[in-house]
Amino acid sequence: DAEARFEFYHKREKRFKFDLNYFNRITKGGVPSKTLNIALAGTGVGKSLFMCHAASNWLTQGKNVLYITLEMAEERIAERVDANLFDVTKDMYDNKVSKLQKKTIGQLIIKEYPTASAHSGHFRALLNELSLKKTFKPDVVFIDYLNICASSRFKGGNISSYFYIKAIAEELRGLAVEFDMPIFSATQTTRSGFTSTDIGLEDTAESFGLPATADFMFALI
């Protein structure tokens, strides 16, 4: 069907725009759906900070956001998202809440799992459950963070970290394709990358299979 193919080739791809101009520039207007996007940073540099900021931005754009955390408590994530949205005292907070309630903004659901216990199968079941019971379909999903997820195909043990982390990345990317949405996550740098002022893909900790699988990867320095 030549006509349908031509239309597909010239179809404008749906993109999720950042509120960070440089990110929009390097991604040509935001990240597309069905992608795995990774923030690379050292311990305590701000992986969760970035993801909470991006989640807040898409909420104000009217997007539904699912934030899955395997590291921090649900309440702490909610607190950070609120801080990004409000950044005010209690009185100002109450006033802003009443104003925001009058606007149409996206919904946020935060789900906490124990560290290293949840994999793509759990996330798939969660997405289906939210769709069935709450009629909630997220436009974008954040998973905090990839290295402390489990793999649905491999159990820990004799498998090397290269194959294990690569498997997790492939499973999460498969989830993004299956549900037609972008997934954001993060990973650690190596010890040398932690002190580097010019982080490269070679500074990815545990597995180079992750940058080989990710669609968009950037470092927080």
Side-chain angles (χ1 to χ4, degrees):
D1 190 344
E3 191 67 31
R5 297 304 264 180
F6 184 84
E7 284 181 18
F8 175 78
Y9 297 146
H10 293 83
K11 185 179 176 182
R12 193 172 184 86
E13 196 172 27
K14 179 185 176 185
R15 289 187 174 267
F16 291 76
K17 193 175 182 180
F18 294 93
D19 63 339
L20 303 163
N21 291 331
Y22 197 82
F23 270 59
N24 288 327
R25 207 169 96 198
I26 61 177
T27 57
K28 295 182 172 65
V31 294
S33 198
K34 300 184 182 181
T35 54
L36 177 64
N37 308 278
I38 302 292
L40 170 65
T43 305
V45 170
K47 296 184 293 292
S48 299
L49 190 74
F50 171 81
M51 290 198 286
C52 286
H53 174 88
S56 304
N57 164 52
W58 280 312
L59 281 172
T60 58
Q61 290 184 33
K63 306 290 186 191
N64 290 333
V65 176
L66 173 63
Y67 198 114
I68 297 170
T69 173
L70 293 93
E71 183 179 40
M72 207 178 296
E74 290 177 12
E75 295 79 9
R76 289 293 169 217
I77 297 296
E79 181 183 30
R80 288 186 175 204
V81 172
D82 286 346
N84 275 282
L85 287 170
F86 298 107
D87 190 25
V88 289
T89 61
K90 182 68 172 78
D91 290 338
M92 293 169 71
Y93 175 85
D94 291 336
N95 289 333
K96 282 205 169 189
V97 166
S98 61
K99 286 179 183 176
L100 277 170
Q101 282 173 341
K102 295 172 186 174
K103 297 178 182 178
T104 303
I105 62 166
Q107 288 181 284
L108 170 68
I109 288 182
I110 304 168
K111 176 66 177 175
E112 180 183 354
Y113 290 97
T115 300
S117 68
H119 53 63
S120 59
H122 295 98
F123 305 150
R124 181 180 291 105
L126 173 64
L127 287 161
N128 289 328
E129 185 182 355
L130 289 172
S131 175
L132 189 67
K133 294 182 179 178
K134 296 191 176 183
T135 61
F136 176 87
K137 184 184 183 302
D139 296 294
V140 58
V141 172
F142 291 86
I143 299 174
D144 192 2
Y145 60 100
L146 188 142
N147 294 62
I148 53 175
C149 291
S151 169
S152 61
R153 291 179 290 172
F154 301 106
K155 303 302 175 191
N158 295 329
I159 187 168
S160 71
S161 62
Y162 173 87
F163 290 108
Y164 193 70
I165 299 301
K166 187 174 189 293
I168 296 170
E170 289 170 348
E171 290 156 19
L172 294 184
R173 193 180 184 282
L175 201 66
V177 172
E178 182 182 341
F179 286 90
D180 189 20
M181 63 193 179
I183 290 180
F184 278 80
S185 193
T187 190
Q188 303 274 20
T189 59
T190 57
R191 280 178 292 180
S192 60
F194 185 76
T195 55
S196 174
T197 56
D198 189 17
I199 295 174
L201 290 179
E202 71 279 2
D203 294 311
T204 307
E206 294 192 271
S207 174
F208 199 73
L210 174 52
T213 307
D215 297 281
F216 175 45
M217 196 160 175
F218 53 92
L220 303 174
I221 302 173

